[in-house]
């Protein structure tokens, strides 16, 4: 942990300010908010705070999962965070439990952005293989990687040389993961920078879904592209054209809401209407921009749509060779800021796991009984009580050029004084 202190002198007396910057990306020296609270609160207070922050699953705190000692040893040896939990559902008389083991991987880049591109790619493959093998040894059925995992998140720079990392759907990274998917009988979601070689080499921000037999099930392209500060990604790719597909796999129906799509409630809704049971949100986002929103949006989506959500964010600070600006009045800089990790799962009953580390690579594993999705639909009746015909009529009117908002004004607002 590296701290910086500012020292001021007043009448020859040294005064040390309390401002401290944790350059390693930790939270006041702790891996996560959960570990900070655990270390600083009395056990009974921490238990109650955890209940308020994380909720209860079937009336109790999430159970911890036991993982193989070999996986724990890998985590310790290679210094990646490893956590595992279990989401339960109520026992049913007519349906057996539908338990699936799901994993999320968050990671920093493996080499500086100044390294040769081929070396950067080779190094990230080596780093991820170890953690993917750890997931496989833990019995993970579905695994999701972070947004654009094969490369630095260079879309802030607006330099076109980073387009060299783009690859076709059946490219090098897919082939690499196909072997691992088959080896571990695991579905893998691989978010990449796609080059569509059949349509003019157009670039897309894409998630490739690889089946547990090593086959390519399909792809989904990012629906919403940010134009916020450094996140001006439309320099490289535009809005996707694949709609809101749900992929039926050997382990359940899954969907991928890539990064910025989490800010759009209707995007979450569409995946739910198509029958998703688990929606993954592979992301790359920094603390100054979005951290207060991070624990809220995915959890709210899980509640509103009665499905599980897996939220993944990369970690670390990626420094680029050439400083850049983003038209927001800030001075030129060479990095986005700190990618704060904090990957987590959310459930339809409003419970969620603690987050992975704020600054370290990590593997988060969870057992999920997918029966919980329908149980919460029955309990809350969100689908039954929704007024889709009203929403559809409103959206239809909104899309017309002559749309006028339905506003009823107080007549006294416009009455002239007598």
């Amino acid at each position: 942990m590296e701290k910086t202190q500012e020292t001021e002198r007043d009448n020859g007396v040294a005064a040390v300010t309390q401002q401290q910057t944790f350059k390693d990306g930790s939270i006041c020296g702790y891996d996560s908010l959960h570990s900070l609270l655990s270390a600083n609160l009395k056990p009974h207070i921490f238990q109650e705070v955890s209940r308020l922050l994380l909720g209860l699953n079937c009336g109790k705190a999430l159970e911890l999962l036991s993982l193989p000692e070999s996986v724990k040893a890998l985590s310790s040896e290679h210094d990646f965070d490893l956590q595992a939990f279990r989401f339960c559902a109520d026992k049913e008389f007519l349906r057996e439990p539908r338990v699936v083991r799901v994993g999320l991987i968050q990671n920093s880049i493996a080499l500086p952005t100044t390294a040769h591109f081929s070396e950067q790619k080779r190094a990230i493959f080596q780093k991820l293989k170890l953690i993917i093998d750890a997931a496989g040894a833990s019995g993970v059925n579905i695994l999701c990687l972070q947004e654009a995992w094969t490369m630095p998140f260079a879309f802030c720079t607006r330099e076109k040389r980073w387009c060299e990392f783009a690859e076709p759907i059946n490219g090098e990274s897919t082939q690499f993961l196909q072997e691992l998917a088959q080896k571990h009988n695991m579905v893998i979601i691989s978010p990449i920078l796609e080059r569509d070689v059949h349509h003019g080499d157009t670039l897309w921000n894409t998630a490739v879904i690889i089946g547990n037999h090593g086959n390519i099930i399909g792809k989904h392209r990012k629906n919403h592209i940010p134009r916020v500060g450094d996140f001006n990604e439309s320099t490289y790719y535009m809005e996707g054209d694949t709609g809101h597909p749900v992929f039926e796999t050997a382990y359940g129906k899954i969907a991928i809401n890539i990064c910025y799509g989490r800010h759009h409630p209707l995007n979450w809704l569409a995946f739910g209407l198509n029958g998703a049971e688990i929606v993954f949100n592979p992301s790359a986002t920094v603390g100054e921009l979005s951290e207060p929103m991070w624990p809220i949006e995915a959890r709210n989506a899980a509640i509103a749509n009665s499905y599980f959500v897996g939220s993944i964010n990369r970690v670390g600070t990626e420094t680029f060779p050439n400083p850049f600006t983003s038209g927001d009045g800030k001075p030129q800089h060479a990095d986005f800021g700190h990618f704060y990790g904090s990957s987590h799962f959310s459930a339809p009953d409003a419970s969620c796991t603690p987050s992975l580390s704020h600054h370290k690579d990590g593997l988060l594993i969870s057992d999920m009984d997918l029966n919980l999705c329908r149980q919460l639909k029955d309990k809350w009746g969100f689908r039954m009580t929704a007024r889709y015909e009203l929403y559809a009529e409103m959206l239809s009117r909104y899309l017309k050029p002559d749309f006028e908002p339905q506003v009823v004004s107080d007549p006294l607002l416009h009455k002239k004084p007598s």
Side-chain angles (χ1 to χ4, degrees):
M1 180 177 68
E2 184 178 358
K3 305 176 183 178
T4 61
Q5 295 182 330
E6 296 178 0
T7 304
E8 300 173 350
R9 293 189 175 274
D10 184 14
N11 297 326
V13 179
V16 180
T17 70
Q18 297 302 308
Q19 179 182 357
Q20 297 179 330
T21 303
F22 291 82
K23 292 184 178 179
D24 63 357
S26 66
I27 303 177
C28 300
Y30 295 92
D31 275 349
S32 65
L33 175 62
H34 192 76
S35 59
L36 182 155
L37 294 173
S38 176
N40 289 278
L41 296 178
K42 294 179 179 179
H44 70 284
I45 297 177
F46 173 69
Q47 182 178 4
E48 181 64 6
V49 169
S50 294
R51 181 187 70 81
L52 293 171
L53 290 178
L54 304 179
L56 299 176
N57 170 239
C58 294
K60 58 185 179 181
L62 286 182
E63 300 175 19
L64 296 177
L65 272 181
S66 178
L67 297 178
E69 290 300 322
S70 60
V71 174
K72 296 177 184 177
L74 274 176
S75 165
S76 178
E77 180 183 353
H78 296 278
D79 194 30
F80 64 86
D81 190 11
L82 176 67
Q83 298 185 46
F85 303 90
R86 175 183 290 110
F87 290 102
C88 299
D90 292 333
K91 184 177 180 180
E92 299 186 17
F93 294 105
L94 300 180
R95 289 196 304 173
E96 293 296 321
R98 298 178 58 225
V99 178
V100 58
R101 184 162 291 188
V102 185
L104 311 174
I105 293 178
Q106 65 176 42
N107 59 275
S108 59
I109 55 176
L111 291 178
T113 61
T114 51
H116 193 282
F117 286 2
S118 63
E119 293 174 0
Q120 289 189 54
K121 207 167 188 179
R122 188 181 310 114
I124 202 69
F125 280 22
Q126 292 173 351
K127 171 188 266 200
L128 264 292
K129 183 180 185 301
L130 186 146
I131 307 179
I132 293 170
D133 282 338
S138 302
V140 167
N141 304 126
I142 306 174
L143 180 68
C144 189
L145 310 183
Q146 66 195 23
E147 183 182 20
W149 70 272
T150 64
M151 60 182 291
F153 206 76
F155 310 122
C156 52
T157 67
R158 301 192 300 279
E159 296 174 351
K160 291 305 180 79
R161 63 197 187 104
W162 303 102
C163 295
E164 289 190 49
F165 280 96
E167 57 184 286
I169 290 298
N170 60 349
E172 183 182 6
S173 67
T174 299
Q175 294 171 29
F176 165 72
L177 293 176
Q178 283 178 300
E179 292 184 9
L180 294 171
Q182 190 168 21
K183 172 184 176 182
H184 296 299
N185 194 29
M186 178 194 296
V187 173
I188 301 179
I189 297 103
S190 174
I192 63 169
L193 181 62
E194 177 201 353
R195 183 178 295 280
D196 186 352
V197 295
H198 299 296
H199 296 88
D201 284 328
T202 304
L203 300 186
W204 304 93
N205 186 318
T206 300
V208 183
I209 296 80
I210 301 169
N212 57 307
H213 298 293
N215 56 308
I216 298 175
I217 298 176
K219 67 176 183 287
H220 173 58
R221 291 168 172 163
K222 186 173 180 176
N223 276 333
H224 299 275
I225 307 303
R227 296 160 178 86
V228 183
D230 290 339
F231 290 86
N232 194 5
E233 299 169 27
S234 56
T235 302
Y236 298 88
Y237 43 78
M238 299 298 286
E239 285 75 11
D241 59 357
T242 52
H244 297 87
V246 169
F247 302 93
E248 186 172 14
T249 74
Y251 305 114
K253 295 178 179 178
I254 65 173
I256 301 88
N257 184 4
I258 303 174
C259 198
Y260 192 69
R262 73 182 178 277
H263 305 308
H264 296 267
L266 292 181
N267 210 43
W268 291 109
L269 171 66
F271 292 119
L273 293 180
N274 279 330
E277 297 170 310
I278 308 170
V279 179
F280 295 94
N281 179 226
S283 300
T285 186
V286 294
E288 181 181 355
L289 182 69
S290 67
E291 195 162 9
M293 305 156 72
W294 181 249
I296 298 170
E297 290 172 309
R299 193 174 182 184
N300 184 66
I303 297 166
N305 297 287
S306 303
Y307 51 48
F308 290 92
V309 175
S311 304
I312 314 101
N313 186 27
R314 65 174 58 204
V315 288
T317 302
E318 301 173 1
T319 303
F320 294 94
N322 302 315
F324 52 87
T325 60
S326 295
D328 54 7
K330 294 181 180 179
Q332 67 175 6
H333 45 286
D335 65 80
F336 258 126
H338 178 69
F339 294 102
Y340 52 81
S342 305
S343 304
H344 61 281
F345 286 111
S346 305
D349 64 355
S351 63
C352 64
T353 66
S355 296
L356 284 178
S357 172
H358 201 264
H359 66 119
K360 291 167 57 176
D361 296 349
L363 169 62
L364 179 62
I365 297 172
S366 177
D367 277 2
M368 301 172 178
D369 188 339
L370 299 183
N371 283 352
L372 188 64
C373 298
R374 194 168 81 180
Q375 290 175 10
L376 267 293
K377 289 176 182 176
D378 290 347
K379 178 178 180 178
W380 284 102
F382 291 150
R383 286 284 182 266
M384 180 181 66
T385 57
R387 299 297 304 278
Y388 299 117
E389 73 283 0
L390 289 182
Y391 314 148
E393 192 273 334
M394 170 64 181
L395 289 171
S396 178
R397 288 192 294 109
Y398 181 75
L399 291 172
K400 295 177 180 178
D402 60 351
F403 169 75
E404 292 186 9
Q406 185 181 2
V407 178
V408 180
S409 297
D410 182 345
L412 295 181
L413 288 176
H414 307 291
K415 185 178 181 181
K416 295 181 179 179
S418 54

